[in-house]
Amino acid sequence: MKKTGLVFFPAFDWAISPTHPEREERLLYTRDQIFEEGLMDLPQITEYKPRLATKKDVARTHFCVPNVAGQTTEAHLIAAGGALVIADALMKGEIHNGFAMVRPPGHHAMRVVHGNRGFCNINNEAIMVDYLRHKYGIKKVAIIDTDVHHGDGTQDIFYHDPDVLFISFHQDGRTLYPGSGFTNEAGGPAAYGTTLNVPLPPGTTDEGIHYVLDNLILPVLNEFQPEIIINSAGQDNHYTDPLANMKVSAQGYAQLNQKLAPDIAVLEGGYAIETALPYVNTGIILAMAGLDYSHVIEPDYNKNQLVQSPEKTERIKETVEELLAVWKQRNKIELGVLAHKSDFYQRQKTIFYDTDYIHENQVEKVRLCYDCAGYITIMSQAFHHNDRRSKVFCVAIPFNACQRCYNDAHNDYMNAVRSEAYDYVYLQNKAEDVYRIFTNVGTKKLEEF
Amino acid sequence: MYIGIDVGGTFTDAVLIDKDRVISKTKFPTVHDNLLLSLLEALDRVTDQVDNSLIERVVISTTLITNLIVQNKYEPVALVLEPGPGLNPRDYPFKEDTFIIDGAIDYRGRQIIPLDKRQLDLTISEIKKKGYRKAAIVGKFSGRNNAHEIEVGNIFNRAGIITELGHKVSGRLNFLRRAATTMLTVATRDEHVKFVDTVNKAFRDRQITAPIFILKADGGTLSLEDSKKAPVETVFSGPAASTLGAMALSPEGEDTVVMDIGGTTTDLALILSGKPVLASKGATVKGYYTSITSYAVRSVPVGGDTAVAVKGNDIDLLYERKGPAYCFGGPYPTPTDALLVLGYYSHGNVEAAKEGLVKLAEPLGCDVKTVAQKILDKFSQSITGAIEDMFLSWEQEPAYRVWELLHPTQIRPQNIIGVGGAAPGITQAVARLINCTPVIPEHAEVANAIGAAVAQPTLKATLRIDTGEGLYTVEENGNQGSVSKFSSFREEDAVRLAKEQLLKMADDLHVPVDTGSVEVTHSEVFNVIRGFTTTGRIYHVTVQTPRKILTRLYKQGGQDA
Ligand SMILES: [Zn+2]
Ligand SMILES: [Zn+2]
Ligand SMILES: [Zn+2]
């Protein structure tokens, strides 16, 4: 019998600040519940020790400004490393699925990182996906973001990648941070339809998310046929979560994991640390291990209080219809039409870092390429609250880069270095797994690893 | 003078120690259906030249409880569990009759579901109808609040059922381990009490008035009388005895692998920075994890009597015993024969050993000495692999703090100490393979008894103090009490409270404690924040008496005793 792997890294000595929701106490009661339950002793479960993700593991996914060390504490590297430990165990065939119950979380961290957004600095799942692709040659990946917040960081990182299916359901962005994740955000021109966002009305219940699961997520997964399914497992849809307004229960979450059957789940948010987390985490672990979770019930659970109005049900059905239509048309978007207008697809973004109070402006360009995923350049300028500014240029070469993209990307990188217009210039060469940071601040310096 | 007696599965060993010298020692085969007789025989042999009034202390390590459990020689116990929310009780591992009752306590010790008295009455009649006299009563999170267990216990006792409560057995988190341990405690108590009373009487008959202790799996001692409260703590004291014995016979404060070579198995244990390594999971008894703390030991299925045969162009260990060694008239050549031929062992018939090895040497076309060396190498390799494995799994122990992960422990031993009959040759061979110093002490053959003789009581108090709930609990004895809910409660107060509880425990167990030597071994604080205000603090504090042994018998550079 292959087991369910667990990495439990509660980071009992790390917090954003003493009273921040992301603090030492967050997984304390989860620890108590799963230890008292004796889950680690069960023959179906095996516990792994996390490790630190390396600078290179992070640089494969992110452009950290000024560098990886500048954006990560050890806790971040261990949380990401915890996900990598599970990924390795899965790929070595030691486990049949695994759950990295780690903090700090990561799904709001985008490709370029100037600071902390939504409690996240680096994106644990994205780092794991890039690691799986680099180390094990995995191509098609599905990430299902079940956190109440839009997984905007993960979306940003895989927006142009047709081989990564990213589906996020969340409380409607008009009513909740980060304010994005609408149905029209469906992927770049070369990856249209492989990003699907399901904004849900506040007050959505187990019934609502299971409707989305049964009618959208599972059928789409079935068609997409990923090699690996990842649950970006936020727990803040819970009816007691202080940061959101949804009505999902521990049973709802456990059932979701049973049906979704993710290969790997990575913990994201969830801030009802007493009333939800101990129960939701226990439920998820039991579901993943194929054990009966029907006895995992919150003390104050009352089914009658967790009902969804018919009007909300109707809205959810409409959203699902709309997204199914997007999914069905995904191959009809003619890359050629767009490419005809210009060789590059360009988008401008303004990004706000709520925790660190940074405003960022970005111009992102993607080569529309018939032979590979296309290289990406990002010009990014950040305005910090203390008037500090930084201007950086980033070049990303995809794993499967064609020769033309590879050469052009290098040229763009060299031109940016020569121009002296940027504080930092980055080259992320995933094709050769080589990463460069050129520094223009103070003495000019080049770091390669 | 101190006496140590180890009533082991194969041999009963005893030693009499004066200061750091072994005055007398004995070793003879254990009489299986009469452990008491074995114990007393060993006692009489080591004390026959001394005045019994000079004996200051006796420590016994025995397999009595282990045997009772393994051989099912106990009255069946009803398991009464209060699981609350979580795993479906259907998936629990217990083979015992299990009765589930309503009610629940949560992780902060709050009642979330009250008890159902009517249901309890029904449960009691059902238990009686099935013929049980005894019950183990265990609630989830009873270590955080014992109120339900106490109430259920009282109701059961009034109904004439003999009970044990989970929180008294262990307050550490792990409901299933606690349930198993509580069940074993009720199950074995009567037999253990009988044993204790007979031992006491036998010692009185011999005019031995010295205090008698019993060795626990964690290497600590309990007075014989107090062991009646926690009989299962005495299971697996054998490995603890051999580890402590090795400690007394090896260099102080260093990293040492302990290798106890028996007839068919070799047990390994680790001493790091002079302290034996404890197992992270509780001891496994009858296939159940328990909350009994024990040393981390690993058993390799090879020993002095392991049969050896030719396989292909090489020899192979058969991982089983086919009888005694050739040198003692057995049917198959063994590592013991190899050691004898190579001159590392001095019992048995050398000619017979050679004869046995010729049977292996001939088909391989080599001489007897070469074959003997091959056997020794194979043996050493299988042990070396297990040692390496032990270190790896020890390094892989989970860590829950950033600090722990940044300070990884990667230690390889400096010494390897071999105890047991076949120790000398094998210890040297293994030491060469893993590149460390072999320690082959004198008296190694009675190391277990030495370990018992030098064991000391160890006391530890682990407190969880929740100022938000105004409650503290002690893991080791299930005590609980209240603390002030005010934020004026500080870490110093937590440590003071922990030390107070330790001294109370010492009092209950009649262990003298030097207050100045009590050390804080673990301390952490969590702020309990609701909204953006601190509504309390949770402290985890562990204080303990220093873990020392009574005396050391290791002599630098030699075996001059
Ligand atoms: Zn989401
Ligand atoms: Zn969230
Ligand atoms: Zn290309």
Side-chain angles (χ1 to χ4, degrees):
Chain A
M1 172 184 56
K2 272 196 202 168
K3 300 183 175 202
T4 290
L6 284 186
V7 162
F8 180 56
F9 187 68
F12 283 149
D13 51 356
W14 185 88
I16 288 182
S17 69
T19 58
H20 195 279
E22 195 47 70
R23 64 176 179 273
E24 297 91 338
E25 190 192 358
R26 193 173 150 226
L27 291 176
L28 182 60
Y29 312 103
T30 292
R31 188 272 314 258
D32 289 351
Q33 188 74 35
I34 63 182
F35 281 25
E36 175 69 349
E37 212 68 63
L39 294 189
M40 307 300 195
D41 288 354
L42 294 175
Q44 291 88 346
I45 288 168
T46 179
E47 188 179 7
Y48 287 86
K49 182 184 192 167
R51 61 176 160 91
L52 279 89
T54 63
K55 186 157 82 169
K56 202 165 182 169
D57 291 327
V58 179
R60 195 178 291 121
T61 300
H62 291 290
F63 297 107
C64 289
V65 183
N67 52 31
V68 174
Q71 287 300 340
T72 53
T73 64
E74 289 95 353
H76 293 103
L77 297 175
I78 298 167
L84 301 186
V85 165
I86 290 293
D88 281 328
L90 182 80
M91 295 312 294
K92 283 188 218 150
E94 293 170 10
I95 56 174
H96 79 92
N97 61 14
F99 185 12
M101 230 184 308
V102 294
R103 53 177 288 265
H107 76 147
H108 294 304
M110 298 193 169
R111 199 192 290 267
V112 180
V113 179
H114 288 283
N116 184 297
R117 296 184 70 246
F119 319 163
C120 309
N121 282 72
I122 56 171
N123 193 314
N124 302 324
E125 284 96 359
I127 289 169
M128 182 178 77
V129 166
D130 283 338
Y131 177 82
L132 280 164
R133 301 174 119 195
H134 164 72
K135 187 166 175 189
Y136 299 101
I138 296 273
K139 196 173 169 229
K140 289 180 88 176
V141 179
I143 304 172
I144 313 302
D145 187 313
T146 58
D147 189 281
V148 79
H149 300 97
H150 175 223
D152 56 349
T154 317
Q155 167 171 310
D156 177 66
I157 293 166
F158 298 111
Y159 205 64
H160 302 294
D161 192 331
D163 292 320
V164 176
L165 172 66
F166 175 70
I167 308 179
S168 174
F169 66 74
H170 39 263
Q171 184 176 327
D172 193 320
R174 285 170 299 196
T175 59
L176 195 68
Y177 179 87
S180 55
F182 298 99
T183 48
N184 64 330
E185 297 161 42
Y192 184 76
T194 58
T195 294
L196 294 172
N197 280 299
V198 196
L200 297 169
T204 298
T205 62
D206 291 355
E207 184 198 336
I209 61 163
H210 279 273
Y211 184 85
V212 173
L213 186 67
D214 296 339
N215 295 285
L216 177 72
I217 299 176
L218 295 178
V220 165
L221 278 175
N222 191 37
E223 249 188 89
F224 183 72
Q225 288 291 318
E227 291 159 65
I228 211 161
I229 297 174
I230 294 158
N231 179 4
S232 188
Q235 311 185 340
D236 32 16
N237 282 291
H238 193 265
Y239 64 90
T240 59
D241 198 275
L243 302 190
N245 316 87
M246 303 295 255
K247 287 185 177 171
V248 174
S249 70
Q251 283 295 311
Y253 266 115
Q255 255 166 45
L256 177 136
N257 279 278
Q258 185 185 25
K259 286 192 202 168
L260 184 64
D263 298 290
I264 299 176
V266 181
L267 182 66
E268 284 296 341
Y271 301 94
I273 61 174
E274 283 203 74
T275 46
L277 262 53
Y279 306 104
V280 176
N281 280 316
T282 303
I284 293 178
I285 294 168
L286 294 181
M288 288 185 75
L291 287 156
D292 180 15
Y293 51 78
S294 63
H295 288 231
V296 182
I297 293 164
E298 302 88 334
D300 64 344
Y301 177 76
N302 180 348
K303 203 172 180 356
N304 300 328
Q305 281 173 3
L306 302 177
V307 264
Q308 188 175 282
S309 68
E311 179 208 344
K312 283 176 185 168
T313 309
E314 206 41 51
R315 252 170 78 193
I316 295 170
K317 284 186 176 171
E318 282 166 14
T319 307
V320 166
E321 285 315 307
E322 189 188 340
L323 288 164
L324 284 171
V326 170
W327 172 249
K328 287 196 182 104
Q329 304 168 35
R330 70 191 181 284
N331 296 324
K332 300 206 181 87
I333 295 288
E334 191 45 67
L335 191 60
V337 177
L338 289 156
H340 213 72
K341 290 184 184 161
S342 157
D343 194 20
F344 287 89
Y345 165 81
Q346 179 174 320
R347 57 173 182 163
Q348 302 214 2
K349 289 186 281 184
T350 59
I351 297 156
F352 177 58
Y353 292 68
D354 60 319
T355 322
D356 282 349
Y357 215 84
I358 301 164
H359 288 271
E360 181 192 2
N361 290 327
Q362 269 192 19
V363 178
E364 182 194 61
K365 287 185 182 182
V366 189
R367 154 74 58 74
L368 300 173
C369 180
Y370 284 102
D371 304 313
C372 74
Y375 79 99
I376 298 172
T377 65
I378 301 170
M379 198 283 287
S380 158
Q381 201 165 7
F383 303 89
H384 295 251
H385 63 96
N386 56 5
D387 282 346
R388 189 160 64 83
R389 291 163 181 228
S390 54
K391 195 175 175 188
V392 305
F393 189 78
C394 316
V395 179
I397 300 175
F399 287 103
N400 62 348
C402 69
Q403 198 59 48
R404 184 173 70 118
C405 285
Y406 185 92
N407 293 342
D408 292 354
H410 266 277
N411 278 338
D412 284 6
Y413 167 74
M414 287 314 297
N415 288 337
V417 166
R418 278 188 219 108
S419 78
E420 303 198 355
Y422 304 100
D423 300 319
Y424 301 94
V425 182
Y426 301 86
L427 179 69
Q428 185 183 67
N429 180 353
K430 294 189 193 185
E432 280 155 357
D433 208 33
V434 173
Y435 307 93
R436 278 189 194 174
I437 305 175
F438 174 76
T439 314
N440 240 333
V441 183
T443 47
K444 293 184 171 45
K445 210 169 65 189
L446 179 71
E447 195 190 346
E448 183 176 294
F449 51 95
Chain B
M1 287 190 287
Y2 313 126
I3 289 179
I5 305 172
D6 173 52
V7 188
T10 319
F11 287 103
T12 294
D13 303 342
V15 288
L16 178 73
I17 294 175
D18 189 16
K19 297 199 180 70
D20 58 354
R21 274 164 42 87
V22 173
I23 303 294
S24 65
K25 55 182 175 183
T26 185
K27 187 177 189 73
F28 71 93
T30 299
V31 182
H32 272 277
D33 42 14
N34 201 340
L35 298 183
L36 184 72
L37 176 114
S38 314
L39 191 162
L40 296 175
E41 176 70 25
L43 173 74
D44 293 340
R45 287 194 190 185
V46 285
T47 54
D48 67 347
Q49 303 291 334
V50 293
D51 175 356
N52 281 354
S53 70
L54 294 175
I55 298 167
E56 297 162 76
R57 189 180 104 115
V58 181
V59 183
I60 299 164
S61 154
T62 166
T63 53
L64 173 77
I65 297 296
T66 317
N67 289 353
L68 287 178
I69 294 171
V70 172
Q71 296 163 14
N72 258 325
K73 284 188 183 158
Y74 57 82
E75 189 182 329
V77 174
L79 207 47
V80 179
L81 303 180
E82 182 199 79
L87 187 63
N88 186 340
R90 190 196 65 198
D91 291 328
Y92 291 167
F94 307 113
K95 291 177 280 289
E96 284 71 20
D97 250 336
T98 305
F99 302 84
I100 302 298
I101 58 173
D102 288 345
I105 303 284
D106 80 356
Y107 39 80
R108 286 187 74 189
R110 297 170 297 207
Q111 166 176 290
I112 50 178
I113 303 172
L115 288 168
D116 179 345
K117 305 264 168 59
R118 260 180 54 104
Q119 183 201 36
L120 287 177
D121 290 340
L122 292 174
T123 308
I124 288 172
S125 29
E126 203 185 333
I127 285 175
K128 285 187 163 173
K129 205 164 71 199
K130 289 197 166 179
Y132 290 103
R133 289 196 316 129
K134 297 176 175 179
I137 296 163
V138 189
K140 200 174 279 175
F141 288 115
S142 63
R144 295 281 161 93
N145 181 353
N146 56 31
H148 280 196
E149 278 185 3
I150 289 177
E151 198 174 341
V152 176
N154 288 339
I155 294 171
F156 271 60
N157 289 341
R158 278 199 296 273
I161 295 175
I162 300 163
T163 60
E164 180 61 272
L165 309 180
H167 73 273
K168 291 196 169 175
V169 165
S170 170
R172 230 180 322 154
L173 292 174
N174 202 314
F175 175 58
L176 298 182
R177 290 188 201 176
R178 194 160 62 245
T181 316
T182 309
M183 184 271 291
L184 295 170
T185 302
V186 211
T188 55
R189 177 168 293 138
D190 291 352
E191 274 303 309
H192 184 71
V193 168
K194 225 189 286 169
F195 172 77
V196 166
D197 292 342
T198 2
V199 170
N200 267 327
K201 184 178 175 303
F203 276 67
R204 270 198 311 275
D205 290 348
R206 288 164 173 73
Q207 265 103 46
I208 297 175
T209 53
I212 309 166
F213 298 89
I214 193 147
L215 188 68
K216 298 192 297 168
D218 69 354
T221 58
L222 263 180
S223 82
L224 196 57
E225 205 52 41
D226 288 323
S227 74
K228 288 175 176 175
K229 292 181 204 155
V232 287
E233 295 279 337
T234 68
V235 297
F236 299 129
S237 57
S242 80
T243 309
L244 287 172
M247 225 172 118
L249 296 168
S250 61
E252 191 168 359
E254 296 189 355
D255 303 323
T256 303
V257 174
V258 181
M259 188 171 64
D260 184 354
I261 303 161
T264 52
T265 57
T266 297
D267 293 329
L268 300 169
L270 299 178
I271 298 173
L272 298 182
S273 308
K275 294 192 176 70
V277 175
L278 293 167
S280 59
K281 293 197 172 180
T284 314
V285 184
K286 269 199 129 167
Y288 298 152
Y289 284 115
T290 68
S291 43
I292 304 162
T293 311
S294 68
Y295 286 164
V297 285
R298 185 163 297 211
S299 207
V300 190
V302 291
D305 291 346
T306 298
V308 185
V310 174
K311 190 184 172 194
N313 294 327
D314 204 355
I315 52 121
D316 203 20
L317 302 175
L318 296 182
Y319 297 101
E320 59 179 322
R321 186 177 192 268
K322 301 267 191 190
Y326 227 89
C327 63
F328 294 117
Y332 270 79
T334 69
T336 303
D337 295 316
L339 290 170
L340 180 58
V341 167
L342 293 172
Y344 290 124
Y345 189 68
S346 49
H347 304 281
N349 181 339
V350 188
E351 289 315 310
K354 282 185 184 162
E355 225 174 274
L357 295 187
V358 166
K359 284 167 91 181
L360 305 173
E362 268 179 354
L364 296 177
C366 59
D367 63 18
V368 165
K369 284 234 152 129
T370 313
V371 161
Q373 192 56 50
K374 272 179 193 282
I375 294 172
L376 197 52
D377 289 345
K378 282 261 171 183
F379 194 142
S380 309
Q381 277 156 17
S382 60
I383 289 175
T384 313
I387 292 174
E388 191 58 32
D389 228 44
M390 221 174 157
F391 273 98
L392 285 178
S393 69
W394 179 70
E395 283 162 15
Q396 281 308 312
E397 286 286 301
Y400 304 122
R401 278 167 202 82
V402 175
W403 191 90
E404 291 165 345
L405 264 155
L406 296 180
H407 297 82
T409 27
Q410 216 210 5
I411 295 176
R412 287 296 178 269
Q414 295 156 276
N415 315 301
I416 180 158
I417 174 165
V419 299
I426 289 166
T427 307
Q428 284 180 17
V430 175
R432 213 176 306 124
L433 281 175
I434 62 172
N435 193 24
C436 59
T437 314
V439 180
I440 302 146
E442 200 196 354
H443 312 304
E445 78 285 6
V446 289
N448 284 26
I450 290 176
V454 300
Q456 290 270 57
T458 53
L459 283 185
K460 190 165 118 221
T462 306
L463 267 70
R464 180 182 178 280
I465 304 159
D466 185 334
T467 67
E469 294 296 318
L471 186 78
Y472 76 83
T473 48
V474 186
E475 281 187 5
E476 285 74 12
N477 58 13
N479 282 352
Q480 68 183 51
S482 52
V483 290
S484 92
K485 282 198 180 195
F486 299 107
S487 59
S488 58
F489 193 94
R490 304 252 164 251
E491 203 160 346
E492 307 91 84
D493 302 310
V495 170
R496 195 178 317 121
L497 182 61
K499 287 188 175 169
E500 259 170 48
Q501 288 296 313
L502 183 92
L503 293 177
K504 228 174 114 201
M505 204 186 281
D507 228 38
D508 290 346
L509 295 172
H510 317 99
V511 173
V513 168
D514 162 21
T515 355
S517 71
V518 174
E519 45 196 42
V520 179
T521 53
H522 176 83
S523 170
E524 63 186 19
V525 190
F526 293 93
N527 287 320
V528 177
I529 291 154
R530 296 298 168 269
F532 283 91
T533 44
T534 307
T535 59
R537 284 197 188 84
I538 293 175
Y539 296 89
H540 283 273
V541 188
T542 308
V543 292
Q544 66 180 43
T545 56
R547 293 186 174 250
K548 283 186 188 150
I549 49 176
L550 203 57
T551 179
R552 309 189 69 86
L553 294 89
Y554 177 73
K555 306 212 170 35
Q556 189 64 46
Q559 322 198 330
D560 57 352

